Amino acid sequence: MKTVIMNFSGVYPEEDFYRQKAGDYEMVDFTHAEGVNCYCTSEAEQEIKERIRAYGPCGIHFLDSGNYHYLSKFWMEMIDTPFPFFFLTITQTCRNPHSLAFCPAEAG
C-alpha cells in the first residue's frame, strides 16, 4: 500500500516529508489539469477518477491544498462497504459572499 500524493499546485516537489522512505509513495502529477481549482468540472472529474482508479482506496492520500477537498469524495466512492473515516484538514478561510459552497472550516 503506497502513499499517493496528488500534486495539483506544484507544492510537493518543494517539500521533503514524503521522501523519508524511498519508493513508499507515488506522486500523481495534475499540475496541468484544467477545471480543478476549488471546483471540479465533470470532464476533470472523469480524468481524475481514471488516473487514481489503479491505486485503489486503501492508503494515505495527500490531496494538495484545501482547493481540492472534493478529491476525498472520489477516493471514498471506490469503497463499497461501511468504513471509519478520518479527515484532517488545515485550511485558510473559505468565506466568499458570492459562493453557495459549504466549507467545513466555517461551520463551527
Side-chain angles (χ1 to χ4, degrees), residues 57-107:
C58 296
I60 298 173
H61 310 118
F62 286 93
L63 310 180
D64 206 289
S65 76
N67 291 359
Y68 310 100
H69 278 194
Y70 58 81
L71 296 170
S72 299
K73 178 181 181 284
F74 299 168
W75 287 104
M76 288 188 295
E77 287 175 343
M78 293 185 208
I79 303 170
D80 57 5
T81 57
F83 61 95
F85 177 60
F86 178 74
F87 183 81
L88 175 64
T89 183
I90 301 169
T91 184
Q92 296 176 339
T93 185
C94 297
R95 288 188 184 142
N96 179 346
H98 305 291
S99 173
L100 298 176
F102 172 75
C103 178
E106 296 297 323

mmCIF file of all heavy atoms in Angstrom, residues 57-107:
data_model
loop_
_atom_site.group_PDB
_atom_site.id
_atom_site.type_symbol
_atom_site.label_atom_id
_atom_site.label_comp_id
_atom_site.label_asym_id
_atom_site.label_seq_id
_atom_site.Cartn_x
_atom_site.Cartn_y
_atom_site.Cartn_z
ATOM 1 N N PRO A 57 -8.626 2.381 -3.043
ATOM 2 C CA PRO A 57 -8.929 3.333 -1.981
ATOM 3 C C PRO A 57 -8.065 3.233 -0.728
ATOM 4 O O PRO A 57 -8.076 4.140 0.096
ATOM 5 C CB PRO A 57 -10.381 3.011 -1.642
ATOM 6 C CG PRO A 57 -10.491 1.549 -1.927
ATOM 7 C CD PRO A 57 -9.621 1.320 -3.133
ATOM 8 N N CYS A 58 -7.329 2.150 -0.570
ATOM 9 C CA CYS A 58 -6.561 1.956 0.666
ATOM 10 C C CYS A 58 -5.286 2.784 0.659
ATOM 11 O O CYS A 58 -4.646 2.946 -0.383
ATOM 12 C CB CYS A 58 -6.209 0.483 0.839
ATOM 13 S SG CYS A 58 -7.650 -0.556 1.041
ATOM 14 N N GLY A 59 -4.924 3.289 1.825
ATOM 15 C CA GLY A 59 -3.675 4.022 1.947
ATOM 16 C C GLY A 59 -3.890 5.441 2.414
ATOM 17 O O GLY A 59 -4.988 5.837 2.811
ATOM 18 N N ILE A 60 -2.831 6.208 2.336
ATOM 19 C CA ILE A 60 -2.867 7.617 2.705
ATOM 20 C C ILE A 60 -2.822 8.428 1.420
ATOM 21 O O ILE A 60 -2.004 8.166 0.536
ATOM 22 C CB ILE A 60 -1.672 7.991 3.610
ATOM 23 C CG1 ILE A 60 -1.746 7.184 4.906
ATOM 24 C CG2 ILE A 60 -1.659 9.487 3.890
ATOM 25 C CD1 ILE A 60 -0.532 7.335 5.792
ATOM 26 N N HIS A 61 -3.713 9.401 1.323
ATOM 27 C CA HIS A 61 -3.808 10.220 0.121
ATOM 28 C C HIS A 61 -3.609 11.681 0.505
ATOM 29 O O HIS A 61 -4.398 12.232 1.258
ATOM 30 C CB HIS A 61 -5.184 10.048 -0.540
ATOM 31 C CG HIS A 61 -5.562 8.627 -0.726
ATOM 32 N ND1 HIS A 61 -6.667 8.073 -0.117
ATOM 33 C CD2 HIS A 61 -4.972 7.628 -1.414
ATOM 34 C CE1 HIS A 61 -6.756 6.798 -0.444
ATOM 35 N NE2 HIS A 61 -5.738 6.512 -1.226
ATOM 36 N N PHE A 62 -2.563 12.293 -0.014
ATOM 37 C CA PHE A 62 -2.336 13.712 0.187
ATOM 38 C C PHE A 62 -2.998 14.449 -0.976
ATOM 39 O O PHE A 62 -2.697 14.175 -2.138
ATOM 40 C CB PHE A 62 -0.837 14.028 0.257
ATOM 41 C CG PHE A 62 -0.215 13.587 1.546
ATOM 42 C CD1 PHE A 62 0.371 12.336 1.651
ATOM 43 C CD2 PHE A 62 -0.236 14.416 2.657
ATOM 44 C CE1 PHE A 62 0.934 11.915 2.848
ATOM 45 C CE2 PHE A 62 0.332 14.001 3.859
ATOM 46 C CZ PHE A 62 0.917 12.746 3.950
ATOM 47 N N LEU A 63 -3.899 15.374 -0.655
ATOM 48 C CA LEU A 63 -4.764 15.995 -1.648
ATOM 49 C C LEU A 63 -4.370 17.422 -2.002
ATOM 50 O O LEU A 63 -5.185 18.191 -2.474
ATOM 51 C CB LEU A 63 -6.216 15.987 -1.147
ATOM 52 C CG LEU A 63 -6.748 14.648 -0.646
ATOM 53 C CD1 LEU A 63 -8.182 14.801 -0.179
ATOM 54 C CD2 LEU A 63 -6.610 13.569 -1.696
ATOM 55 N N ASP A 64 -3.136 17.789 -1.764
ATOM 56 C CA ASP A 64 -2.637 19.130 -2.056
ATOM 57 C C ASP A 64 -3.218 20.128 -1.076
ATOM 58 O O ASP A 64 -3.044 19.969 0.119
ATOM 59 C CB ASP A 64 -2.926 19.525 -3.513
ATOM 60 C CG ASP A 64 -1.933 20.546 -4.040
ATOM 61 O OD1 ASP A 64 -2.002 21.712 -3.601
ATOM 62 O OD2 ASP A 64 -1.083 20.207 -4.887
ATOM 63 N N SER A 65 -3.931 21.137 -1.520
ATOM 64 C CA SER A 65 -4.441 22.165 -0.605
ATOM 65 C C SER A 65 -5.952 22.037 -0.433
ATOM 66 O O SER A 65 -6.587 21.178 -1.044
ATOM 67 C CB SER A 65 -4.101 23.559 -1.145
ATOM 68 O OG SER A 65 -4.962 23.896 -2.216
ATOM 69 N N GLY A 66 -6.520 22.924 0.347
ATOM 70 C CA GLY A 66 -7.956 22.930 0.566
ATOM 71 C C GLY A 66 -8.764 23.199 -0.692
ATOM 72 O O GLY A 66 -9.975 23.002 -0.703
ATOM 73 N N ASN A 67 -8.112 23.632 -1.745
ATOM 74 C CA ASN A 67 -8.810 23.857 -3.011
ATOM 75 C C ASN A 67 -9.286 22.556 -3.650
ATOM 76 O O ASN A 67 -10.028 22.587 -4.620
ATOM 77 C CB ASN A 67 -7.899 24.580 -4.004
ATOM 78 C CG ASN A 67 -7.625 26.006 -3.608
ATOM 79 O OD1 ASN A 67 -8.124 26.482 -2.592
ATOM 80 N ND2 ASN A 67 -6.838 26.699 -4.393
ATOM 81 N N TYR A 68 -8.858 21.427 -3.104
ATOM 82 C CA TYR A 68 -9.146 20.135 -3.733
ATOM 83 C C TYR A 68 -9.857 19.181 -2.780
ATOM 84 O O TYR A 68 -9.705 17.965 -2.880
ATOM 85 C CB TYR A 68 -7.843 19.526 -4.262
ATOM 86 C CG TYR A 68 -7.070 20.521 -5.092
ATOM 87 C CD1 TYR A 68 -5.986 21.218 -4.563
ATOM 88 C CD2 TYR A 68 -7.471 20.819 -6.388
ATOM 89 C CE1 TYR A 68 -5.305 22.167 -5.309
ATOM 90 C CE2 TYR A 68 -6.798 21.765 -7.144
ATOM 91 C CZ TYR A 68 -5.722 22.432 -6.602
ATOM 92 O OH TYR A 68 -5.053 23.379 -7.345
ATOM 93 N N HIS A 69 -10.661 19.708 -1.853
ATOM 94 C CA HIS A 69 -11.381 18.862 -0.892
ATOM 95 C C HIS A 69 -12.250 17.824 -1.577
ATOM 96 O O HIS A 69 -12.460 16.737 -1.042
ATOM 97 C CB HIS A 69 -12.256 19.714 0.014
ATOM 98 C CG HIS A 69 -11.516 20.319 1.158
ATOM 99 N ND1 HIS A 69 -12.163 20.876 2.224
ATOM 100 C CD2 HIS A 69 -10.204 20.463 1.411
ATOM 101 C CE1 HIS A 69 -11.283 21.325 3.092
ATOM 102 N NE2 HIS A 69 -10.084 21.104 2.612
ATOM 103 N N TYR A 70 -12.768 18.139 -2.737
ATOM 104 C CA TYR A 70 -13.652 17.218 -3.453
ATOM 105 C C TYR A 70 -12.979 15.882 -3.767
ATOM 106 O O TYR A 70 -13.642 14.882 -4.010
ATOM 107 C CB TYR A 70 -14.189 17.853 -4.738
ATOM 108 C CG TYR A 70 -13.096 18.292 -5.698
ATOM 109 C CD1 TYR A 70 -12.482 17.390 -6.548
ATOM 110 C CD2 TYR A 70 -12.672 19.617 -5.732
ATOM 111 C CE1 TYR A 70 -11.481 17.782 -7.413
ATOM 112 C CE2 TYR A 70 -11.678 20.024 -6.589
ATOM 113 C CZ TYR A 70 -11.080 19.102 -7.431
ATOM 114 O OH TYR A 70 -10.078 19.497 -8.280
ATOM 115 N N LEU A 71 -11.648 15.842 -3.728
ATOM 116 C CA LEU A 71 -10.931 14.593 -4.015
ATOM 117 C C LEU A 71 -11.255 13.502 -3.007
ATOM 118 O O LEU A 71 -11.240 12.320 -3.339
ATOM 119 C CB LEU A 71 -9.420 14.848 -4.045
ATOM 120 C CG LEU A 71 -8.933 15.775 -5.157
ATOM 121 C CD1 LEU A 71 -7.475 16.134 -4.942
ATOM 122 C CD2 LEU A 71 -9.152 15.145 -6.514
ATOM 123 N N SER A 72 -11.559 13.889 -1.766
ATOM 124 C CA SER A 72 -11.945 12.895 -0.757
ATOM 125 C C SER A 72 -13.129 12.074 -1.238
ATOM 126 O O SER A 72 -13.176 10.858 -1.064
ATOM 127 C CB SER A 72 -12.321 13.576 0.554
ATOM 128 O OG SER A 72 -11.243 14.285 1.071
ATOM 129 N N LYS A 73 -14.077 12.740 -1.830
ATOM 130 C CA LYS A 73 -15.271 12.061 -2.350
ATOM 131 C C LYS A 73 -14.894 11.040 -3.428
ATOM 132 O O LYS A 73 -15.408 9.925 -3.443
ATOM 133 C CB LYS A 73 -16.252 13.090 -2.917
ATOM 134 C CG LYS A 73 -17.507 12.478 -3.519
ATOM 135 C CD LYS A 73 -18.402 13.585 -4.066
ATOM 136 C CE LYS A 73 -19.683 13.051 -4.653
ATOM 137 N NZ LYS A 73 -19.487 12.440 -5.972
ATOM 138 N N PHE A 74 -13.988 11.413 -4.304
ATOM 139 C CA PHE A 74 -13.599 10.499 -5.381
ATOM 140 C C PHE A 74 -12.968 9.222 -4.823
ATOM 141 O O PHE A 74 -13.231 8.118 -5.301
ATOM 142 C CB PHE A 74 -12.626 11.168 -6.348
ATOM 143 C CG PHE A 74 -13.180 12.381 -7.053
ATOM 144 C CD1 PHE A 74 -12.334 13.217 -7.748
ATOM 145 C CD2 PHE A 74 -14.527 12.711 -7.011
ATOM 146 C CE1 PHE A 74 -12.811 14.339 -8.406
ATOM 147 C CE2 PHE A 74 -15.027 13.835 -7.662
ATOM 148 C CZ PHE A 74 -14.155 14.645 -8.360
ATOM 149 N N TRP A 75 -12.110 9.369 -3.802
ATOM 150 C CA TRP A 75 -11.489 8.200 -3.179
ATOM 151 C C TRP A 75 -12.534 7.348 -2.473
ATOM 152 O O TRP A 75 -12.525 6.126 -2.564
ATOM 153 C CB TRP A 75 -10.397 8.611 -2.207
ATOM 154 C CG TRP A 75 -9.148 9.103 -2.872
ATOM 155 C CD1 TRP A 75 -8.732 10.403 -2.988
ATOM 156 C CD2 TRP A 75 -8.154 8.314 -3.541
ATOM 157 N NE1 TRP A 75 -7.547 10.456 -3.672
ATOM 158 C CE2 TRP A 75 -7.166 9.192 -4.020
ATOM 159 C CE3 TRP A 75 -8.005 6.947 -3.769
ATOM 160 C CZ2 TRP A 75 -6.047 8.757 -4.717
ATOM 161 C CZ3 TRP A 75 -6.882 6.512 -4.459
ATOM 162 C CH2 TRP A 75 -5.929 7.410 -4.925
ATOM 163 N N MET A 76 -13.445 8.005 -1.748
ATOM 164 C CA MET A 76 -14.450 7.259 -0.984
ATOM 165 C C MET A 76 -15.441 6.531 -1.880
ATOM 166 O O MET A 76 -15.978 5.496 -1.504
ATOM 167 C CB MET A 76 -15.187 8.181 -0.020
ATOM 168 C CG MET A 76 -14.311 8.606 1.145
ATOM 169 S SD MET A 76 -15.183 9.504 2.425
ATOM 170 C CE MET A 76 -15.667 10.981 1.568
ATOM 171 N N GLU A 77 -15.684 7.032 -3.067
ATOM 172 C CA GLU A 77 -16.603 6.364 -3.990
ATOM 173 C C GLU A 77 -16.088 4.994 -4.417
ATOM 174 O O GLU A 77 -16.856 4.172 -4.901
ATOM 175 C CB GLU A 77 -16.851 7.239 -5.215
ATOM 176 C CG GLU A 77 -17.720 8.431 -4.926
ATOM 177 C CD GLU A 77 -17.880 9.381 -6.102
ATOM 178 O OE1 GLU A 77 -17.070 9.316 -7.055
ATOM 179 O OE2 GLU A 77 -18.807 10.196 -6.045
ATOM 180 N N MET A 78 -14.805 4.724 -4.228
ATOM 181 C CA MET A 78 -14.244 3.419 -4.569
ATOM 182 C C MET A 78 -14.560 2.356 -3.511
ATOM 183 O O MET A 78 -14.367 1.168 -3.747
ATOM 184 C CB MET A 78 -12.720 3.509 -4.702
ATOM 185 C CG MET A 78 -12.237 4.322 -5.846
ATOM 186 S SD MET A 78 -10.427 4.163 -5.901
ATOM 187 C CE MET A 78 -9.978 5.689 -6.643
ATOM 188 N N ILE A 79 -15.031 2.769 -2.350
ATOM 189 C CA ILE A 79 -15.268 1.854 -1.231
ATOM 190 C C ILE A 79 -16.732 1.433 -1.231
ATOM 191 O O ILE A 79 -17.626 2.275 -1.273
ATOM 192 C CB ILE A 79 -14.908 2.533 0.110
ATOM 193 C CG1 ILE A 79 -13.455 2.994 0.079
ATOM 194 C CG2 ILE A 79 -15.183 1.602 1.272
ATOM 195 C CD1 ILE A 79 -13.064 3.888 1.234
ATOM 196 N N ASP A 80 -16.973 0.128 -1.175
ATOM 197 C CA ASP A 80 -18.352 -0.353 -1.234
ATOM 198 C C ASP A 80 -18.834 -0.997 0.066
ATOM 199 O O ASP A 80 -19.864 -1.656 0.088
ATOM 200 C CB ASP A 80 -18.538 -1.311 -2.401
ATOM 201 C CG ASP A 80 -17.601 -2.499 -2.344
ATOM 202 O OD1 ASP A 80 -16.864 -2.643 -1.352
ATOM 203 O OD2 ASP A 80 -17.609 -3.291 -3.300
ATOM 204 N N THR A 81 -18.086 -0.816 1.155
ATOM 205 C CA THR A 81 -18.513 -1.323 2.461
ATOM 206 C C THR A 81 -18.397 -0.197 3.490
ATOM 207 O O THR A 81 -17.617 0.737 3.307
ATOM 208 C CB THR A 81 -17.618 -2.501 2.921
ATOM 209 O OG1 THR A 81 -16.260 -2.061 2.946
ATOM 210 C CG2 THR A 81 -17.742 -3.693 1.990
ATOM 211 N N PRO A 82 -19.166 -0.275 4.577
ATOM 212 C CA PRO A 82 -19.050 0.761 5.616
ATOM 213 C C PRO A 82 -17.618 0.825 6.157
ATOM 214 O O PRO A 82 -16.931 -0.194 6.252
ATOM 215 C CB PRO A 82 -20.007 0.279 6.700
ATOM 216 C CG PRO A 82 -20.978 -0.596 5.987
ATOM 217 C CD PRO A 82 -20.194 -1.261 4.889
ATOM 218 N N PHE A 83 -17.177 2.025 6.545
ATOM 219 C CA PHE A 83 -15.801 2.197 6.987
ATOM 220 C C PHE A 83 -15.687 3.410 7.901
ATOM 221 O O PHE A 83 -16.479 4.337 7.815
ATOM 222 C CB PHE A 83 -14.867 2.385 5.783
ATOM 223 C CG PHE A 83 -15.189 3.608 4.962
ATOM 224 C CD1 PHE A 83 -14.521 4.810 5.195
ATOM 225 C CD2 PHE A 83 -16.145 3.567 3.958
ATOM 226 C CE1 PHE A 83 -14.806 5.928 4.439
ATOM 227 C CE2 PHE A 83 -16.437 4.687 3.208
ATOM 228 C CZ PHE A 83 -15.765 5.870 3.442
ATOM 229 N N PRO A 84 -14.673 3.402 8.783
ATOM 230 C CA PRO A 84 -14.410 4.607 9.580
ATOM 231 C C PRO A 84 -13.690 5.620 8.700
ATOM 232 O O PRO A 84 -12.895 5.261 7.842
ATOM 233 C CB PRO A 84 -13.500 4.107 10.703
ATOM 234 C CG PRO A 84 -12.869 2.880 10.154
ATOM 235 C CD PRO A 84 -13.845 2.283 9.170
ATOM 236 N N PHE A 85 -13.970 6.876 8.899
ATOM 237 C CA PHE A 85 -13.394 7.925 8.067
ATOM 238 C C PHE A 85 -12.735 8.972 8.949
ATOM 239 O O PHE A 85 -13.342 9.505 9.856
ATOM 240 C CB PHE A 85 -14.493 8.564 7.221
ATOM 241 C CG PHE A 85 -14.020 9.712 6.371
ATOM 242 C CD1 PHE A 85 -13.044 9.534 5.413
ATOM 243 C CD2 PHE A 85 -14.570 10.975 6.530
ATOM 244 C CE1 PHE A 85 -12.616 10.588 4.640
ATOM 245 C CE2 PHE A 85 -14.144 12.033 5.752
ATOM 246 C CZ PHE A 85 -13.169 11.835 4.801
ATOM 247 N N PHE A 86 -11.479 9.266 8.689
ATOM 248 C CA PHE A 86 -10.735 10.290 9.398
ATOM 249 C C PHE A 86 -10.295 11.326 8.379
ATOM 250 O O PHE A 86 -9.605 10.997 7.414
ATOM 251 C CB PHE A 86 -9.518 9.682 10.098
ATOM 252 C CG PHE A 86 -8.685 10.701 10.809
ATOM 253 C CD1 PHE A 86 -9.119 11.268 11.997
ATOM 254 C CD2 PHE A 86 -7.473 11.102 10.289
ATOM 255 C CE1 PHE A 86 -8.357 12.222 12.655
ATOM 256 C CE2 PHE A 86 -6.700 12.047 10.929
ATOM 257 C CZ PHE A 86 -7.145 12.607 12.119
ATOM 258 N N PHE A 87 -10.704 12.559 8.579
ATOM 259 C CA PHE A 87 -10.396 13.636 7.646
ATOM 260 C C PHE A 87 -9.653 14.735 8.395
ATOM 261 O O PHE A 87 -10.193 15.326 9.323
ATOM 262 C CB PHE A 87 -11.708 14.194 7.062
ATOM 263 C CG PHE A 87 -11.507 15.254 6.031
ATOM 264 C CD1 PHE A 87 -11.212 14.921 4.725
ATOM 265 C CD2 PHE A 87 -11.639 16.591 6.363
ATOM 266 C CE1 PHE A 87 -11.045 15.896 3.766
ATOM 267 C CE2 PHE A 87 -11.464 17.576 5.414
ATOM 268 C CZ PHE A 87 -11.173 17.224 4.105
ATOM 269 N N LEU A 88 -8.425 14.963 8.040
ATOM 270 C CA LEU A 88 -7.622 16.006 8.662
ATOM 271 C C LEU A 88 -7.387 17.098 7.636
ATOM 272 O O LEU A 88 -6.916 16.834 6.535
ATOM 273 C CB LEU A 88 -6.278 15.435 9.120
ATOM 274 C CG LEU A 88 -5.281 16.438 9.674
ATOM 275 C CD1 LEU A 88 -5.817 17.071 10.950
ATOM 276 C CD2 LEU A 88 -3.946 15.783 9.923
ATOM 277 N N THR A 89 -7.744 18.303 7.999
ATOM 278 C CA THR A 89 -7.541 19.411 7.080
ATOM 279 C C THR A 89 -7.002 20.629 7.819
ATOM 280 O O THR A 89 -7.375 20.885 8.954
ATOM 281 C CB THR A 89 -8.843 19.777 6.338
ATOM 282 O OG1 THR A 89 -8.568 20.822 5.400
ATOM 283 C CG2 THR A 89 -9.933 20.232 7.281
ATOM 284 N N ILE A 90 -6.121 21.311 7.158
ATOM 285 C CA ILE A 90 -5.642 22.607 7.622
ATOM 286 C C ILE A 90 -5.933 23.540 6.462
ATOM 287 O O ILE A 90 -5.382 23.382 5.379
ATOM 288 C CB ILE A 90 -4.136 22.571 7.948
ATOM 289 C CG1 ILE A 90 -3.868 21.536 9.028
ATOM 290 C CG2 ILE A 90 -3.648 23.961 8.350
ATOM 291 C CD1 ILE A 90 -2.407 21.239 9.245
ATOM 292 N N THR A 91 -6.836 24.477 6.679
ATOM 293 C CA THR A 91 -7.298 25.285 5.559
ATOM 294 C C THR A 91 -7.375 26.761 5.928
ATOM 295 O O THR A 91 -7.558 27.110 7.084
ATOM 296 C CB THR A 91 -8.678 24.792 5.072
ATOM 297 O OG1 THR A 91 -9.065 25.542 3.932
ATOM 298 C CG2 THR A 91 -9.732 24.902 6.143
ATOM 299 N N GLN A 92 -7.225 27.585 4.912
ATOM 300 C CA GLN A 92 -7.468 29.007 5.093
ATOM 301 C C GLN A 92 -8.968 29.220 5.001
ATOM 302 O O GLN A 92 -9.716 28.325 4.619
ATOM 303 C CB GLN A 92 -6.754 29.800 4.003
ATOM 304 C CG GLN A 92 -5.251 29.662 4.089
ATOM 305 C CD GLN A 92 -4.560 30.368 2.938
ATOM 306 O OE1 GLN A 92 -5.144 30.621 1.907
ATOM 307 N NE2 GLN A 92 -3.291 30.673 3.142
ATOM 308 N N THR A 93 -9.421 30.389 5.294
ATOM 309 C CA THR A 93 -10.858 30.658 5.254
ATOM 310 C C THR A 93 -11.437 30.426 3.863
ATOM 311 O O THR A 93 -10.783 30.662 2.862
ATOM 312 C CB THR A 93 -11.182 32.092 5.724
ATOM 313 O OG1 THR A 93 -12.583 32.237 5.758
ATOM 314 C CG2 THR A 93 -10.558 33.144 4.835
ATOM 315 N N CYS A 94 -12.645 29.946 3.840
ATOM 316 C CA CYS A 94 -13.340 29.690 2.580
ATOM 317 C C CYS A 94 -14.417 30.733 2.326
ATOM 318 O O CYS A 94 -15.228 30.581 1.425
ATOM 319 C CB CYS A 94 -13.989 28.307 2.613
ATOM 320 S SG CYS A 94 -12.823 26.960 2.764
ATOM 321 N N ARG A 95 -14.480 31.750 3.138
ATOM 322 C CA ARG A 95 -15.553 32.735 3.010
ATOM 323 C C ARG A 95 -15.518 33.420 1.649
ATOM 324 O O ARG A 95 -14.506 33.947 1.227
ATOM 325 C CB ARG A 95 -15.436 33.787 4.101
ATOM 326 C CG ARG A 95 -15.799 33.242 5.434
ATOM 327 C CD ARG A 95 -15.873 34.345 6.467
ATOM 328 N NE ARG A 95 -16.141 33.718 7.753
ATOM 329 C CZ ARG A 95 -15.620 34.093 8.879
ATOM 330 N NH1 ARG A 95 -14.794 35.104 8.914
ATOM 331 N NH2 ARG A 95 -15.907 33.470 9.991
ATOM 332 N N ASN A 96 -16.656 33.376 0.999
ATOM 333 C CA ASN A 96 -16.840 34.045 -0.278
ATOM 334 C C ASN A 96 -18.309 34.447 -0.341
ATOM 335 O O ASN A 96 -19.169 33.579 -0.448
ATOM 336 C CB ASN A 96 -16.484 33.111 -1.437
ATOM 337 C CG ASN A 96 -16.694 33.763 -2.789
ATOM 338 O OD1 ASN A 96 -17.337 34.799 -2.920
ATOM 339 N ND2 ASN A 96 -16.154 33.139 -3.823
ATOM 340 N N PRO A 97 -18.623 35.724 -0.285
ATOM 341 C CA PRO A 97 -20.026 36.141 -0.235
ATOM 342 C C PRO A 97 -20.818 35.790 -1.491
ATOM 343 O O PRO A 97 -22.026 35.805 -1.485
ATOM 344 C CB PRO A 97 -19.935 37.662 -0.046
ATOM 345 C CG PRO A 97 -18.584 38.033 -0.547
ATOM 346 C CD PRO A 97 -17.704 36.836 -0.276
ATOM 347 N N HIS A 98 -20.128 35.424 -2.571
ATOM 348 C CA HIS A 98 -20.808 35.098 -3.820
ATOM 349 C C HIS A 98 -20.896 33.593 -4.058
ATOM 350 O O HIS A 98 -21.298 33.165 -5.120
ATOM 351 C CB HIS A 98 -20.088 35.773 -4.986
ATOM 352 C CG HIS A 98 -19.953 37.250 -4.806
ATOM 353 N ND1 HIS A 98 -21.028 38.110 -4.849
ATOM 354 C CD2 HIS A 98 -18.879 38.013 -4.512
ATOM 355 C CE1 HIS A 98 -20.622 39.340 -4.619
ATOM 356 N NE2 HIS A 98 -19.320 39.316 -4.415
ATOM 357 N N SER A 99 -20.518 32.817 -3.075
ATOM 358 C CA SER A 99 -20.490 31.365 -3.242
ATOM 359 C C SER A 99 -21.542 30.703 -2.388
ATOM 360 O O SER A 99 -21.788 31.094 -1.250
ATOM 361 C CB SER A 99 -19.112 30.827 -2.860
ATOM 362 O OG SER A 99 -19.126 29.419 -2.868
ATOM 363 N N LEU A 100 -22.166 29.669 -2.925
ATOM 364 C CA LEU A 100 -23.112 28.862 -2.167
ATOM 365 C C LEU A 100 -22.452 27.600 -1.619
ATOM 366 O O LEU A 100 -23.096 26.755 -1.045
ATOM 367 C CB LEU A 100 -24.296 28.470 -3.054
ATOM 368 C CG LEU A 100 -25.124 29.646 -3.575
ATOM 369 C CD1 LEU A 100 -26.209 29.140 -4.518
ATOM 370 C CD2 LEU A 100 -25.732 30.423 -2.427
ATOM 371 N N ALA A 101 -21.156 27.477 -1.829
ATOM 372 C CA ALA A 101 -20.419 26.285 -1.406
ATOM 373 C C ALA A 101 -20.316 26.226 0.104
ATOM 374 O O ALA A 101 -20.219 27.247 0.782
ATOM 375 C CB ALA A 101 -19.028 26.273 -2.024
ATOM 376 N N PHE A 102 -20.316 25.041 0.653
ATOM 377 C CA PHE A 102 -20.171 24.813 2.085
ATOM 378 C C PHE A 102 -18.708 24.547 2.384
ATOM 379 O O PHE A 102 -18.057 23.768 1.709
ATOM 380 C CB PHE A 102 -21.015 23.625 2.504
ATOM 381 C CG PHE A 102 -20.786 23.205 3.918
ATOM 382 C CD1 PHE A 102 -21.296 23.938 4.980
ATOM 383 C CD2 PHE A 102 -20.023 22.092 4.200
ATOM 384 C CE1 PHE A 102 -21.072 23.557 6.285
ATOM 385 C CE2 PHE A 102 -19.792 21.703 5.510
ATOM 386 C CZ PHE A 102 -20.326 22.428 6.552
ATOM 387 N N CYS A 103 -18.185 25.187 3.393
ATOM 388 C CA CYS A 103 -16.813 24.956 3.832
ATOM 389 C C CYS A 103 -16.838 24.494 5.268
ATOM 390 O O CYS A 103 -17.271 25.228 6.155
ATOM 391 C CB CYS A 103 -15.985 26.219 3.701
ATOM 392 S SG CYS A 103 -14.299 25.990 4.286
ATOM 393 N N PRO A 104 -16.386 23.245 5.566
ATOM 394 C CA PRO A 104 -16.418 22.757 6.940
ATOM 395 C C PRO A 104 -15.648 23.634 7.909
ATOM 396 O O PRO A 104 -15.985 23.702 9.081
ATOM 397 C CB PRO A 104 -15.801 21.370 6.852
ATOM 398 C CG PRO A 104 -15.508 21.097 5.444
ATOM 399 C CD PRO A 104 -15.829 22.304 4.637
ATOM 400 N N ALA A 105 -14.633 24.325 7.452
ATOM 401 C CA ALA A 105 -13.844 25.171 8.331
ATOM 402 C C ALA A 105 -14.655 26.351 8.843
ATOM 403 O O ALA A 105 -14.358 26.914 9.881
ATOM 404 C CB ALA A 105 -12.598 25.678 7.589
ATOM 405 N N GLU A 106 -15.699 26.725 8.135
ATOM 406 C CA GLU A 106 -16.521 27.857 8.525
ATOM 407 C C GLU A 106 -17.774 27.429 9.271
ATOM 408 O O GLU A 106 -18.558 28.253 9.693
ATOM 409 C CB GLU A 106 -16.942 28.650 7.270
ATOM 410 C CG GLU A 106 -15.773 29.256 6.544
ATOM 411 C CD GLU A 106 -15.017 30.270 7.375
ATOM 412 O OE1 GLU A 106 -15.648 31.014 8.136
ATOM 413 O OE2 GLU A 106 -13.791 30.308 7.287
ATOM 414 N N ALA A 107 -17.979 26.130 9.451
ATOM 415 C CA ALA A 107 -19.225 25.626 10.029
ATOM 416 C C ALA A 107 -19.292 25.786 11.532
ATOM 417 O O ALA A 107 -20.351 25.712 12.109
ATOM 418 C CB ALA A 107 -19.421 24.159 9.653
#
